[in-house]
Amino acid sequence: MSNSSSLTQFLLLAVADRRELQLLHFWLFLAISLAALLANGLILSAVACDHHLHTPRYFFLLNLSLTDLGCICTTVPKTMHNSLWNTGTITYTGCAAQLFFFAFFISAEFSLLTIMCYDRYVAICKPLHYGTLLGSRACAHMAAAAWATGFLSALLHTANTFSLPLCQGNALGQFFCEIPHILKLSCSHSGYLREIGLIRVTACLIFGGFVFFVFSYVQIFRAVLRIPSQQGRHKAFSTCLPHLAVVSLFISTLFFAHLKPPSISSPSLDLIVSLMYSVVSPTLNPLIYSLRNQELKDALRKLITGCFSEAINSPSSACYVPH
């Protein structure tokens, strides 16, 4: 038996047992991480460089891309390292850091998705008040509040989780450090209940956000259906459906991962679901947002064209975006 004072490392769940599959998973995770870095990096560059995208909607999308990059960079590199070198360990300090940053980015992402829902609600249901309710200062304050909420939530959960005495071994049933799996190693009933209380408070806040999503989109769809022109309805739906798809993917996988009945739980199912909300969702978000967004497509096209033109004309100079 071990306790937290003598525990120096945790054993993460192996993605595969056979060496060939481990190497396959390494290359797969490498491809996914590069795709996520490229896609989110392009969105960050397009929003930052194109003045047509300097609006509240794209300002929050820029912040969302930062959280997606954070999620990928927190979980994937260690998994790739373990698959490549045929190991499954992570240090105690590394596990604490990974848990903190993942909780930070996930919490900030949920807050930003809630704010983006409010942005769409005001844009469609209260368009005359859009400039007042979502001015530059208000947007900056809301984004700062989202990041601060993520930081505070991650700090509370990480500090409380790693203050618990751990005496049930060091094997985590997950490919990265996550609170529920660390709690299973705890031997402190009072500390365990304290963290469960924090999780329940967080769950209530998430449920409140979910209710806000439902209420907002009911109002949005009612307002869109009252638009007389088909072109106007199509344009309104095209600004809302990507956000709705991202929210649905994020919340459904997160809820299923932590609220599914124990009777259907299995290591393989847990692994697939955790991959969905920690790796797949951050990778797909840029694709979902750019798929039916002509403004973003034009900005990305202009960005890439400008980079290639500048590279051909002057390879040593920096990339620019022509105005």
Side-chain angles (χ1 to χ4, degrees):
M1 303 293 283
S2 62
N3 54 54
S4 55
S5 61
S6 60
L7 199 62
T8 60
Q9 62 183 18
F10 291 97
L11 185 63
L12 297 174
L13 179 68
V15 179
D17 296 327
R18 292 170 52 191
R19 186 60 186 153
E20 296 83 0
L21 291 178
Q22 288 177 342
L23 293 175
L24 176 63
H25 281 101
F26 167 79
W27 290 111
L28 180 61
F29 275 118
L30 178 62
I32 290 174
S33 60
L34 289 177
L37 290 171
L38 176 63
N40 285 289
L42 283 173
I43 286 184
L44 289 173
S45 301
V47 174
C49 296
D50 196 322
H51 68 277
H52 294 103
L53 301 185
H54 292 175
T55 63
R57 177 188 176 193
Y58 294 106
F59 172 71
F60 295 130
L61 179 58
L62 182 146
N63 281 269
L64 187 71
S65 292
L66 288 175
T67 64
D68 288 335
L69 284 174
C71 287
I72 290 289
C73 293
T74 300
T75 58
V76 172
K78 184 59 181 175
T79 304
M80 291 172 55
H81 174 272
N82 287 352
S83 296
L84 181 63
W85 298 106
N86 192 24
T87 183
T89 60
I90 184 171
T91 64
Y92 186 89
T93 306
C95 186
Q98 190 180 64
L99 188 150
F100 171 80
F101 283 109
F102 185 73
F104 170 52
F105 289 119
I106 283 289
S107 300
E109 178 158 351
F110 182 80
S111 300
L112 286 167
L113 288 173
T114 306
I115 294 170
M116 293 171 77
C117 180
Y118 174 71
D119 169 71
R120 292 299 85 206
Y121 169 76
V122 174
I124 292 175
C125 299
K126 299 181 182 295
L128 298 179
H129 301 283
Y130 188 79
T132 304
L133 296 175
L134 286 157
S136 58
R137 181 173 295 183
C139 290
H141 288 167
M142 285 189 280
W147 289 104
T149 300
F151 178 81
L152 181 60
S153 175
L155 185 64
L156 287 173
H157 283 293
T158 305
N160 191 63
T161 300
F162 281 90
S163 67
L164 302 176
L166 306 176
C167 58
Q168 303 294 329
N170 68 339
L172 300 176
Q174 180 62 285
F175 74 97
F176 64 97
C177 292
E178 202 175 21
I179 294 171
H181 298 276
I182 297 176
L183 289 181
K184 293 177 181 178
L185 308 181
S186 173
C187 52
S188 171
H189 185 65
S190 60
Y192 177 86
L193 292 179
R194 186 170 63 246
E195 177 58 26
I196 290 296
L198 277 175
I199 292 175
R200 286 175 177 172
V201 171
T202 303
C204 289
L205 293 175
I206 293 174
F207 181 74
F210 176 74
V211 171
F212 177 72
F213 288 137
V214 173
F215 170 80
S216 297
Y217 271 102
V218 168
Q219 300 301 316
I220 287 171
F221 287 144
R222 289 177 61 185
V224 170
L225 292 175
R226 287 197 297 265
I227 298 175
S229 68
Q230 183 177 355
Q231 184 179 0
R233 289 195 299 270
H234 180 269
K235 184 177 180 181
F237 274 127
S238 67
T239 65
C240 297
L241 292 181
H243 177 262
L244 185 60
V246 169
V247 169
S248 301
L249 178 64
F250 180 78
I251 292 183
S252 61
T253 53
L254 203 60
F255 274 23
F256 183 78
H258 299 292
L259 299 178
K260 66 181 181 298
S263 58
I264 65 170
S265 181
S266 66
S268 58
L269 180 61
D270 292 346
L271 178 63
I272 292 172
V273 175
S274 60
L275 282 170
M276 288 297 294
Y277 67 79
S278 64
V279 178
V280 176
S281 180
T283 306
L284 290 181
N285 285 353
L287 178 63
I288 294 172
Y289 271 106
S290 61
L291 201 59
R292 299 182 61 183
N293 190 322
Q294 193 58 45
E295 285 182 327
L296 192 56
K297 286 180 182 178
D298 292 341
L300 289 171
R301 192 179 299 113
K302 187 164 65 171
L303 175 71
I304 295 171
T305 303
C307 287
F308 277 114
S309 299
E310 183 68 11
I312 292 172
N313 296 329
S314 179
S316 61
S317 62
C319 171
Y320 79 105
V321 178
H323 292 287

